[in-house]
Amino acid sequence: DAGVIQSPRHEVTEMGQEVTLRCKPISGHNSLFWYRQTMMRGLELLIYFNNNVPIDDSGMPEDRFSAKMPNASFSTLKIQPSEPRDSAVYFCASSFGTSVIYEQYFGPGTRLTVT
Amino acid sequence: TQLLEQSPQFLSIQEGENLTVYCNSSSVFSSLQWYRQEPGEGPVLLVTVVTGGEVKKLKRLTFQFGDARKDSSLHITAAQPGDTGLYLCAGEDRDDKIIFGKGTRLHILP
């Protein structure tokens, strides 16, 4: 298996533009997580899905952020409109369950820069 | 809000030395995990500890879960340059949401 796949790996955009980050989880995993990592705040859980259904989106910072999982093999995280403070590395992870007991497999991340 | 505090934030030591990094909380966790993250990559799970007082060994790495399940430590014996990275601890808060500490950035000098 290729592991969790994220695209793009790097994204540079101007303030106000829409940004869409993509994730393909490991086949067979039923849980998917989106994280944001910055030096100041560390790794923060934004939202997670179980069987394609959003379970907890309390970590999504604002209404400008939205996430979807239309099927078991694809998820998107969208920021509209983007702001400079959204600059961070965004990680997608997948696992066999939502509990910390299950190992999460992280993708390589998307480094987002908003100017 | 439950928090995981990691210390030290940064640690730079010579190859061959021993070190210990810590993950502390004022709250009880049912289990804790340790991850290592290398530059440009996502975190990779090292271990999960679930029982108070539990000790797990992974080659030169020794992980301990506190008796009260509020803290954990990671001890590395004879550190090597390949141990360089960001070490993160993670646990489930009382709302069953996974939270991470901010990590200890470890640099092993050859």
Side-chain angles (χ1 to χ4, degrees), chain A residues 5-16:
Chain A
I5 298 172
Q6 291 187 247
S7 64
R9 290 296 309 274
H10 302 274
E11 176 79 43
V12 180
T13 190
E14 291 184 346
M15 186 173 83

Side-chain angles (χ1 to χ4, degrees), chain B residues 37 50 57 91 98:
Chain B
Q37 183 180 16
V50 298
K57 292 195 174 185
I98 295 171

Side-chain angles (χ1 to χ4, degrees), chain B residues 6-91:
Chain B
Q6 291 192 246
S7 61
Q9 276 187 283
F10 302 95
L11 184 58
S12 182
I13 64 169
Q14 290 292 138
E15 180 178 1
E17 293 184 358
N18 301 333
L19 66 106
T20 303
V21 298
Y22 301 92
C23 174
N24 296 304
S25 176
S26 57
S27 305
V28 173
F29 283 84
S30 57
S31 60
L32 281 179
Q33 294 181 316
W34 284 92
Y35 286 80
R36 179 169 64 212
Q37 183 180 16
E38 298 187 18
E41 299 181 10
V44 175
L45 180 68
L46 296 173
V47 76
T48 301
V49 285
V50 298
T51 306
E54 181 178 4
V55 176
K56 279 192 174 179
K57 292 195 174 185
L58 188 66
K59 296 184 181 177
R60 293 175 296 99
L61 278 59
T62 301
F63 304 85
Q64 185 160 10
F65 199 11
D67 291 340
R69 292 187 289 127
K70 291 184 178 181
D71 56 87
S72 181
S73 63
L74 159 58
H75 181 80
I76 302 179
T77 303
Q80 298 177 2
D83 296 327
T84 292
L86 177 66
Y87 288 80
L88 298 162
C89 65

Side-chain angles (χ1 to χ4, degrees), chain A residues 69-106:
Chain A
M69 191 164 186
N71 58 62
S73 59
F74 184 66
S75 177
T76 59
L77 178 67
K78 185 177 294 187
I79 309 173
Q80 165 64 16
S82 59
E83 296 183 3
R85 59 189 167 135
D86 301 330
S87 297
V89 181
Y90 291 80
F91 288 101
C92 173
S94 70
S95 72
F96 285 113
T98 57
S99 168
V100 75
I101 290 293
Y102 299 98
E103 178 174 0
Q104 291 190 34
Y105 294 80
F106 283 77

Side-chain angles (χ1 to χ4, degrees), chain A residues 4-8 19-26 29-35 46-55 60 66-78 90-94 110:
Chain A
V4 175
I5 298 172
Q6 291 187 247
S7 64
V19 174
T20 299
L21 311 181
R22 297 173 176 79
C23 175
K24 177 178 168 53
I26 291 173
H29 283 183
N30 62 4
S31 298
L32 183 140
F33 307 78
W34 281 101
Y35 291 89
L46 300 177
I47 183 172
Y48 64 96
F49 297 81
N50 187 242
N51 294 322
N52 312 337
V53 176
I55 303 301
M60 297 285 258
S66 62
K68 293 181 180 179
M69 191 164 186
N71 58 62
S73 59
F74 184 66
S75 177
T76 59
L77 178 67
K78 185 177 294 187
Y90 291 80
F91 288 101
C92 173
S94 70
T110 294

